[in-house]
């Protein structure tokens, strides 16, 4: 593949040379002194070198007369060849150009006497009429007609200020339009204070930028707003990524070296983050932080040296973020979704809200809602239940409301095609399955009904209802079902059937006692993708017992493709087993990016209403643990209310790089 890279040429003007799909490398290239144009008041003069692009065009009086919204006259503006840059006060203070009246840093002015802001102003000063008019204005006398024209702000200054005003207005409107409260949990402080590690964005293929995150890592340079300044206008500076946790990055301004005093956390997908070179192409000022403004005498040379060979964001990074934040599901689309009060059936629901790919569904003929991701295995296209033979609750609604439309089938997650013509699952076969009513437990289970297209109705042994109302549907490739013996070989505690007293539980004894057979190992999904998760990684995870909640969580154990998710601040009994490709796992910063509310760890939330916790007791092995799970929020709000039902989440498997150990240990 042909590559492009960026070359930094003096004065750090970024020029496109070749293309790299992910990040761009930089190489410094110095121009011979004889070929350089003299730097006037613009940019990083000796002591304050600019990193913005030098323009070769000169400003004209016609541009000055264009009618554009003006900027405050009090702002220190430095003009050079039609470009406008803003800088803090220099050592020798500010100066006023005797030709055009522009105010700027004195050391940046042209000539030894520092009377003019540029060569053009110096040459134009010879005009006696202009000289008289300008001097009269500077002395407070009524300006002449020509002086009034010169008094106007340059066109570029007005355009820059107007663009900045529009951007600020758009940000304010966006903030007002958000219906979900802004995230209040401070991920940065939480990670730094405990020296934690966040799961990389590349682990989450279903989130925005999950498929195009590339090799974005520590050391990448970006251009960001400079918060260490006294200026009233927005100025920028270059910062490097010190630590990366999901979408969040710990940034440090160039020039601070190992000093962490000005380090700050920022979401890399917000509009304020730009690749190096953005300021040059956009005419924005690069200004060193005031804390270190006197650290180097030549900032331009410093940046050329530091950025040589460094990486930055791809030039289309912001466009990709915007594209990835568009979701196909729209309000009033109709879907089939599991009935949370009767797991064995589905019913029609309407999409009421879409946030970051998560859907708030409202059941037809009901005010009850249900949250899930658009790639969840719990939702399907209209007609899915009939096509596979799944139980379905019919609606009495005979006429659709205006605007309602059936969600197109291609929008839903695809499952792997299976061949059911040969050896296949049969009714009564035994297996191990994650209990959808207690996601911390893997239980002894039975195939109760074989549906079409590889779907199975499964029940937890010892606790199923006589009418089968608590059966639940898993696809045969689901990562939530396992062959008999899976827990034994992987040192996971298997929950035996309720009332089963012959402990410790042994599969061979149980199969003999129940006159049943175990489902063949070869029928299960043994693919293990290279998911990238590691034990101890932080992330944001859905509490599947109350799927409207997204909480601060930790990966505490990894068994092949199975992850044990612990909700920070809560007891281990609230842990959940989920698949590594579950659409209900998100990287750090996902809630902030999408505007979804993040639930902080229990220790940091208001938990005064929670009854005193019962002292922990040593758990007895092999005790029944099914159907007792309560949602984290419901524990705080309604401790006595009956749980609502939901499924565990998992999606069809993708390409893998290995396989798990699935077999039954042979016993005498």
């Amino acid at each position: 593949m042909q590559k492009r890279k960026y070359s930094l040429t003096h004065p750090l003007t970024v020029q496109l040379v070749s293309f790299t799909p992910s990040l761009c490398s930089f190489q410094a290239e110095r121009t011979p002194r004889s070929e350089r144009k003299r730097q006037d008041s613009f940019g990083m003069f000796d002591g304050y070198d600019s990193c913005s692009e030098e323009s070769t065009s000169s400003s004209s009086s016609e541009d000055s007369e264009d009618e554009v919204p003006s900027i405050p006259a009090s702002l220190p503006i430095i003009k050079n060849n039609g470009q406008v840059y803003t800088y803090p006060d220099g050592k020798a203070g500010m100066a006023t150009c005797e030709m055009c009246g522009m105010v700027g840093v004195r050391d940046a002015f042209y000539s030894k006497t520092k009377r003019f802001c540029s060569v053009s102003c110096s040459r134009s000063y010879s005009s006696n009429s202009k000289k008289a008019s300008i001097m009269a204005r500077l002395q407070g006398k009524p300006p002449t007609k020509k002086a009034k024209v010169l008094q106007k702000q340059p066109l570029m200054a007005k355009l820059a200020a107007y663009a900045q005003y529009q951007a600020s207005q758009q940000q304010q409107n966006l903030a007002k339009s958000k219906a979900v409260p802004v995230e209040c949990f401070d991920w940065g402080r939480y990670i730094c204070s405990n020296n934690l590690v966040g799961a990389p964005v590349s682990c989450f293929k279903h989130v925005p930028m999950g498929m195009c995150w590339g090799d974005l890592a520590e050391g990448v340079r970006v251009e960001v707003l400079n918060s260490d300044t006294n200026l009233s206008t927005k100025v920028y500076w270059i910062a490097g990524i010190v630590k990366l946790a999901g979408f969040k990055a710990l940034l440090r301004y160039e020039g601070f070296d190992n000093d962490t005093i000005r380090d700050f956390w920022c979401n890399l997908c917000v509009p304020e983050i730009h690749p190096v070179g953005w300021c040059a192409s956009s005419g924005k000022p690069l200004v060193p932080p005031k804390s270190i403004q006197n650290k180097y005498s030549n900032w331009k040379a410093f940046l050329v040296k530091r950025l040589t060979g460094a990486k930055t964001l791809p030039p289309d990074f912001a466009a990709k973020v915007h594209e990835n934040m568009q979701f196909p599901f729209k309000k009033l689309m109709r879907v089939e979704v599991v009935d949370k009060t009767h797991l064995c059936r589905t019913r029609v629901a309407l999409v009421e809200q879409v946030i970051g790919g998560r859907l708030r569904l409202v059941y037809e003929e009901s005010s009850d809602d249900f949250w899930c991701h658009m790639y969840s295995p719990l939702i399907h296209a209209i007609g899915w239940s009939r096509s596979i033979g799944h139980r379905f609750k019919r609606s009495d609604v005979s006429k659709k409301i205006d605007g309602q439309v059936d969600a197109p089938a291609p929008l839903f997650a695809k499952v792997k095609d299976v061949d059911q013509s040969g050896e296949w699952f049969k009714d009564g076969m035994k297996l191990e399955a994650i209990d959808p009513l207690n996601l911390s437990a893997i239980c002894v289970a039975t195939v109760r009904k074989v549906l079409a297209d590889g779907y199975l109705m499964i029940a937890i042994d010892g606790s199923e209802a006589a009418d089968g109302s608590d059966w639940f549907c898993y696809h045969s490739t689901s990562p939530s079902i396992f062959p008999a013996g899976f827990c034994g070989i992987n040192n996971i505690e298997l929950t035996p059937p309720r009332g089963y007293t012959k402990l410790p539980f042994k599969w061979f004894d149980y199969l003999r006692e129940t006159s049943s057979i175990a489902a063949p190992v070869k029928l299960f999904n043994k693919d293990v993708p290279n998911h990238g998760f590691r034990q101890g990684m932080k992330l944001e995870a859905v509490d599947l017992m109350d799927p409207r909640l997204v909480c601060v969580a930790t990966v505490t154990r990894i068994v092949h493709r199975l992850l044990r998710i612990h909700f920070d601040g809560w007891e281990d009994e609230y842990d959940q087993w989920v698949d590594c490709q579950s659409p209900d796992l998100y990287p750090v910063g996902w809630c902030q990016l999408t505007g979804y509310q993040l639930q902080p760890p229990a220790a940091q939330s208001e938990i005064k209403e929670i009854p005193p916790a019962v002292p922990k007791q040593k758990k007895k092995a092999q005790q029944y643990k099914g159907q007792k799970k309560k949602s984290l929020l419901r524990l705080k709000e309604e401790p006595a209310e009956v749980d609502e039902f939901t499924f565990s989440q998992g999606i069809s498997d993708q390409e893998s790089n290995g396989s798990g150990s699935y077999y039954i240990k042979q016993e005498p």
Side-chain angles (χ1 to χ4, degrees):
M1 179 184 294
Q2 184 183 4
K3 293 185 175 181
R4 281 190 214 161
K5 48 184 172 176
Y6 288 96
S7 175
L8 291 179
T9 59
H10 182 77
L12 294 181
T13 299
V14 181
Q15 297 178 338
L16 187 60
V17 179
S18 60
F19 171 72
T20 302
S22 57
L23 299 177
C24 311
S25 61
F26 283 76
Q27 295 180 343
E29 189 176 343
R30 291 189 176 275
T31 306
R33 183 175 297 274
S34 59
E35 297 178 8
R36 298 179 191 169
K37 294 185 178 181
R38 181 178 181 87
Q39 299 294 310
D40 301 316
S41 64
F42 111 91
M44 294 294 192
F45 49 88
D46 294 340
Y48 274 109
D49 285 347
S50 172
C51 302
S52 294
E53 185 177 8
E54 179 182 1
S55 173
T56 57
S57 62
S58 61
S59 60
S60 65
S61 61
E62 293 179 357
D63 289 341
S64 300
E65 294 182 10
D66 287 348
E67 291 299 328
V68 192
S70 60
I71 61 176
S74 60
L75 295 180
I77 303 295
I78 300 175
K79 179 176 78 81
N80 177 76
N81 297 332
Q83 296 235 25
V84 178
Y85 307 88
T86 305
Y87 297 99
D89 293 356
K91 296 178 182 178
M94 308 300 290
T96 302
C97 179
E98 295 183 11
M99 177 59 209
C100 68
M102 290 298 99
V103 179
V105 180
R106 181 179 179 81
D107 287 348
F109 272 43
Y110 177 70
S111 79
K112 293 181 179 180
T113 58
K114 308 299 182 185
R115 297 169 59 193
F116 310 104
C117 67
S118 64
V119 178
S120 60
C121 283
S122 176
R123 291 174 179 173
S124 300
Y125 185 75
S126 59
S127 171
N128 292 331
S129 59
K130 289 185 178 179
K131 175 183 176 182
S133 297
I134 294 297
M135 292 306 297
R137 180 172 60 84
L138 294 177
Q139 294 170 8
K141 298 178 181 179
T144 63
K145 183 177 181 181
K146 286 186 177 181
K148 289 181 179 179
V149 173
L150 292 171
Q151 188 178 4
K152 291 185 176 181
Q153 297 287 359
L155 175 63
M156 290 299 294
K158 296 175 180 180
L159 290 175
Y162 185 61
Q164 179 179 324
Y165 170 78
Q166 284 185 319
S168 63
Q169 289 295 109
Q170 290 176 358
Q171 290 295 326
Q172 292 177 4
N173 294 337
L174 180 62
K176 292 179 181 178
S177 64
K178 286 186 177 180
V180 180
V182 180
E183 174 194 0
C184 58
F185 176 69
D186 189 349
W187 261 119
R189 180 181 300 178
Y190 190 63
I191 289 174
C192 287
S193 61
N194 299 284
N195 195 26
L196 306 174
V197 177
V201 174
S202 56
C203 293
F204 310 86
K205 305 301 182 186
H206 57 282
V207 304
M209 302 299 292
M211 299 292 290
C212 52
W213 192 247
D215 56 345
L216 193 57
E218 296 175 5
V220 170
R221 305 305 207 281
V222 294
E223 291 180 353
V224 296
L225 283 171
N226 180 1
S227 60
D228 185 15
T229 178
N230 291 329
L231 297 174
S232 58
T233 56
K234 288 184 178 180
V235 293
Y236 298 82
W237 191 241
I238 295 173
I241 298 178
V242 178
K243 187 180 181 68
L244 197 59
F247 289 117
K248 292 272 195 175
L250 180 62
L251 301 178
R252 182 176 300 164
Y253 290 122
E254 285 295 336
F256 277 90
D257 299 327
N258 295 324
D259 188 355
T260 63
I261 190 171
R262 288 290 177 179
D263 289 3
F264 61 98
W265 284 89
C266 187
N267 194 309
L268 290 179
C269 292
V270 298
E272 291 78 13
I273 303 294
H274 308 281
V276 173
W278 176 84
C279 283
S281 61
S282 304
K284 302 295 183 181
L286 279 173
V287 180
K290 66 176 182 179
S291 302
I292 56 171
Q293 63 185 20
N294 298 322
K295 186 174 182 179
Y296 296 97
S297 60
N298 191 333
W299 281 102
K300 178 170 51 193
F302 166 79
L303 288 181
V304 169
K305 182 179 179 180
R306 291 297 292 266
L307 296 179
T308 301
K311 294 181 178 180
T312 188
L313 302 177
D316 60 345
F317 187 79
K320 285 185 177 179
V321 172
H322 177 76
E323 179 183 347
N324 277 253
M325 289 295 289
Q326 309 304 311
F327 305 102
F329 281 88
K330 307 300 178 185
K331 187 174 181 179
L332 295 183
M333 279 188 173
R334 300 172 77 245
V335 301
E336 286 186 11
V337 63
V338 64
D339 187 343
K340 66 180 182 180
T341 60
H342 294 82
L343 298 184
C344 64
R345 70 187 186 191
T346 59
R347 58 190 297 189
V348 174
L350 296 175
V351 176
E352 179 64 26
Q353 194 175 7
V354 182
I355 303 179
R358 301 206 77 225
L359 311 178
R360 177 175 170 258
L361 304 173
V362 177
Y363 291 112
E364 208 167 58
E365 298 182 312
S366 172
S367 59
D368 289 344
D369 63 356
F370 181 79
W371 281 90
C372 67
H373 194 272
M374 62 183 184
Y375 294 145
S376 169
L378 303 180
I379 60 172
H380 309 276
I382 297 295
W384 172 84
S385 298
R386 176 182 293 181
S387 67
I388 70 163
H390 195 284
R391 290 177 63 179
F392 176 76
K393 181 184 179 182
R394 295 186 179 277
S395 171
D396 293 333
V397 177
S398 57
K399 188 177 181 181
K400 294 181 182 179
I401 303 175
D402 290 343
Q404 289 185 6
V405 60
D406 294 348
L411 299 187
F412 298 87
K414 306 295 185 297
V415 294
K416 182 185 293 184
D417 293 332
V418 294
D419 182 11
Q420 298 183 218
S421 59
E423 186 177 10
W424 193 242
F425 290 96
K426 292 181 174 60
D427 294 357
M429 281 185 172
K430 300 294 184 181
L431 43 73
E432 298 175 3
I434 296 177
D435 184 356
L437 302 182
N438 181 12
L439 296 166
S440 66
I442 300 179
C443 307
V444 175
T446 303
V447 176
R448 286 305 178 193
K449 187 178 181 181
V450 179
L451 308 178
D453 297 340
Y455 288 95
L456 310 170
M457 296 301 296
I458 297 173
I460 301 298
D461 283 18
S463 61
E464 60 181 300
D467 59 355
S469 59
D470 57 354
W471 295 358
F472 48 93
C473 183
Y474 279 145
H475 193 263
S476 58
T477 61
S478 169
S480 298
I481 59 174
F482 318 94
F486 172 83
C487 287
I489 7 178
N490 292 288
N491 196 28
I492 299 174
E493 185 177 356
L494 177 66
T495 301
R498 177 185 292 176
Y500 189 77
T501 57
K502 195 174 181 180
L503 302 177
F505 178 85
K506 292 184 178 181
W507 263 112
F508 281 93
D509 292 342
Y510 184 69
L511 292 174
R512 184 171 56 251
E513 292 169 3
T514 56
S515 301
S516 54
I517 61 173
V521 177
K522 65 181 182 180
L523 300 181
F524 293 85
N525 175 19
K526 297 186 288 293
D527 294 341
V528 182
N530 184 19
H531 48 71
F533 286 102
R534 298 291 180 268
Q535 188 172 334
M537 282 183 170
K538 295 293 179 180
L539 69 164
E540 298 173 3
V542 175
D543 173 14
L544 295 171
M545 302 313 299
D546 190 348
R548 63 195 168 109
L549 303 180
V550 177
C551 312
V552 174
T554 307
V555 177
T556 56
R557 191 177 177 192
I558 302 174
V559 181
H560 306 301
R561 64 181 299 148
L562 201 60
L563 307 180
R564 180 83 170 181
I565 302 299
H566 174 76
F567 296 104
D568 290 18
W570 295 92
E571 298 294 329
D572 293 346
E573 64 178 300
Y574 296 102
D575 290 0
Q576 297 178 356
W577 287 107
V578 298
D579 181 58
C580 64
Q581 294 179 337
S582 168
D584 292 300
L585 302 179
Y586 308 102
V588 169
W590 178 86
C591 282
Q592 181 193 29
L593 175 63
T594 60
Y596 205 95
Q597 181 66 46
L598 178 66
Q599 304 297 320
Q604 299 186 24
S605 59
E606 297 179 2
I607 55 176
K608 296 180 180 179
E609 299 178 5
I610 301 180
V614 178
K616 273 190 174 181
Q617 297 180 358
K618 188 176 180 180
K619 297 181 179 178
K620 296 181 180 179
Q622 305 293 335
Q623 285 185 341
Y624 177 78
K625 295 183 179 180
Q627 304 194 20
K628 67 176 182 179
K629 186 69 177 278
K630 293 183 179 180
S631 99
L632 305 184
L633 188 67
R634 192 166 289 113
L635 178 65
K636 293 186 287 184
E637 296 177 348
E638 308 165 64
E641 191 170 319
V642 179
D643 304 339
E644 291 183 357
F645 303 105
T646 184
F647 275 131
S648 64
Q649 308 288 300
I651 62 175
S652 58
D653 51 333
Q654 307 291 329
E655 216 172 318
S656 71
N657 65 344
S659 61
S661 302
Y662 298 106
Y663 60 88
I664 302 177
K665 288 194 282 189
Q666 300 296 324
E667 298 184 6

